[in-house]
Amino acid sequence: MLPMIPYILAAVPVVGYGLYATKSNHDKESKKTQDLVTHLELDEFKTLELNTMLQWSSLMYYLVTLRGIVRKHKNKVDFVQPELIVSQHLDKDVNPYDHTHLKKMITATDILNFMKLNQKYLVSDDGGLEFNEKASGRADLDSDGQADVEMMQRLEQVDDEFDADIIEFDDEFCDDGMDSELVFCIIVNRTEKRVAVCFRGSVSMKDWVVDLSGTKSKPEQIKEFTNDTGAEIHTGFSEYLFGKTNEDGDGYTKFTQIVMILKQVAKKHPDFKIYVTGHSLGGALTQLLAFALAGSKESADLPKPIIAVSYASPRVGNKGYLEKYKQLEKEGLLRHIRVSNQGDIVTVSPSMGFYQTGLNIHVAEGKEVEIGYCKDRSLMSQLNTNALGNHGLPTYHGRLFISRNTTAISMDIEELYKKYT
């Protein structure tokens, strides 16, 4: 584990801002990637399953940042209509779904309107969004007028293309140091008849401590349906999803909380498919949640298959976990598209006793995608000096959604499984 720590720590700034990565020494490829991202928002890739899930993951990072700015600086300035994105403290609960933190559902329009109303309080810093400490009397959008303009355009496109609501956004304990908890949202997309659970990736120090740990455990929620294979999973990822939360009350795990909300959506929209997506730590939680939803008795009545689309996911479990994963896929209960990038060290860690799952789509600069079932790679094959860029969502997007990959990525997930598994 120790040899890869410098590479993983080097990637921290990238995952903090999702689609808008911090600038690195590789400006040429970064600029090329950003141009591709902007261009591809307008082409035939934008509504594909893989791209839609990546865009939701990107939006997840961005909304967490916006909500964090409001919480941290609400006593310094009077934000205009903060309830557009932070509704937990509203007097009236108008969210039709129970067991949620949001008292009002959030739409892309809400996020866009909040940004327009509060432009002078937001500033771009190396592509990331921060609070403008010099906001008093300032009316311009940000320091360079670019990053937030692009995000606003993306939000406008999402609003135009999808009839969708964020029905839950749980970031209640995202900044509690070593007591921080996972951050997720649930999106109901009526246009494509999907409900998507989206996880935020590694941002806090606890996230990275969790990522770097290499111990295994067997939580009851996994043990109940994996005794035949002896599956064990990464202890840190397990605690995030199956450990007791910091909240007062019933002491639900995040897994139970998510299941309760998904059951309500399934009752209201029985023909909707369930997707799970995330990047980095969010990718690990993506494949683990999908695994549990597919096999657990607690979620037995949810529609199947559960479809996971992960980006830059670390390894999650042992050989028994992999074998059970394959069994659930064979039974038609689970699908996992795992996108990895050449030179992304996170995707081959932890390195000892852990295995990757799913149908792997591997991207590399200047090459067509490689697709293989349960395809794993060695730690040595991914060592490089550009961990910063290779782990970020911009590079993933730029290397995946490009014309040479059109045939492969235009296939839906079931078609990919039929061809490659």
Side-chain angles (χ1 to χ4, degrees), residues 39-305:
H39 170 70
L40 290 172
E41 292 306 314
L42 303 175
D43 70 13
E44 69 271 20
F45 293 134
K46 63 186 177 182
T47 57
L48 295 179
E49 290 171 293
L50 294 177
N51 196 26
T52 301
M53 293 302 108
L54 186 143
Q55 295 305 325
W56 291 132
S57 294
S58 175
L59 179 62
M60 179 76 183
Y61 281 115
Y62 210 82
L63 186 51
V64 170
T65 301
L66 280 175
R67 286 164 61 92
I69 288 172
V70 171
R71 285 182 171 137
K72 185 176 181 179
H73 301 286
K74 62 183 178 181
N75 295 325
K76 293 183 181 179
V77 298
D78 292 325
F79 290 102
V80 182
Q81 295 184 39
E83 66 276 6
L84 287 171
I85 62 170
V86 182
S87 66
Q88 277 87 328
H89 303 296
L90 291 176
D91 293 331
K92 187 176 181 180
D93 189 340
V94 294
N95 191 334
Y97 295 96
D98 298 326
H99 307 293
T100 62
H101 293 83
L102 292 182
K103 291 186 177 180
K104 179 187 74 69
M105 297 186 294
I106 299 173
T107 65
T109 299
D110 291 333
I111 303 170
L112 181 63
N113 286 341
F114 174 81
M115 292 179 66
K116 288 180 177 179
L117 291 169
N118 294 278
Q119 289 181 13
K120 67 180 180 180
Y121 301 129
L122 307 174
V123 61
S124 174
D125 182 18
D126 283 337
L129 190 67
E130 293 185 357
F131 177 70
N132 181 12
E133 297 289 352
K134 299 179 181 180
S136 179
R138 181 173 176 170
D140 57 324
L141 180 62
D142 56 37
S143 58
D144 58 18
Q146 294 298 317
D148 291 338
V149 169
E150 290 177 4
M151 189 60 196
M152 286 183 171
Q153 291 173 341
R154 183 166 290 104
L155 287 166
E156 288 175 345
Q157 290 169 355
V158 169
D159 187 50
D160 289 341
E161 295 161 8
F162 302 110
D163 177 18
D165 297 315
I166 300 173
I167 66 171
E168 171 64 321
F169 201 100
D170 185 354
D171 59 352
E172 290 297 295
F173 300 98
C174 67
D175 296 312
D176 279 16
M178 293 307 292
D179 291 323
S180 297
E181 298 184 352
L182 65 82
V183 178
F184 74 91
C185 71
I186 299 179
I187 301 167
V188 174
N189 182 344
R190 286 173 291 275
T191 300
E192 298 180 321
K193 294 187 176 181
R194 300 172 184 167
V195 52
V197 181
C198 303
F199 289 106
R200 183 188 69 172
S202 306
V203 173
S204 71
M205 180 55 68
K206 180 183 177 182
D207 291 342
W208 288 104
V209 170
V210 166
D211 288 352
L212 289 168
S213 67
T215 59
K216 304 184 188 77
S217 62
K218 189 182 296 184
E220 287 300 319
Q221 295 91 335
I222 297 299
K223 185 178 180 180
E224 73 172 32
F225 68 93
T226 63
N227 274 340
D228 56 332
T229 65
E232 292 182 326
I233 60 175
H234 188 288
T235 299
F237 304 150
S238 172
E239 283 297 313
Y240 264 140
L241 194 57
F242 303 117
K244 293 294 180 65
T245 72
N246 296 326
E247 296 187 54
D248 296 329
D250 296 321
Y252 292 128
T253 66
K254 296 295 185 183
F255 176 68
T256 295
Q257 180 187 349
I258 291 169
V259 170
M260 288 191 298
I261 298 172
L262 290 179
K263 285 183 177 180
Q264 295 176 68
V265 177
K267 184 176 181 179
K268 187 173 182 179
H269 302 288
D271 57 338
F272 280 27
K273 295 180 179 179
I274 297 177
Y275 285 75
V276 190
T277 192
H279 168 255
S280 191
L281 168 64
L285 295 170
T286 289
Q287 63 165 291
L288 180 56
L289 175 63
F291 179 67
L293 290 176
S296 173
K297 294 178 182 178
E298 192 172 346
S299 52
D301 53 350
L302 290 177
K304 305 295 189 303

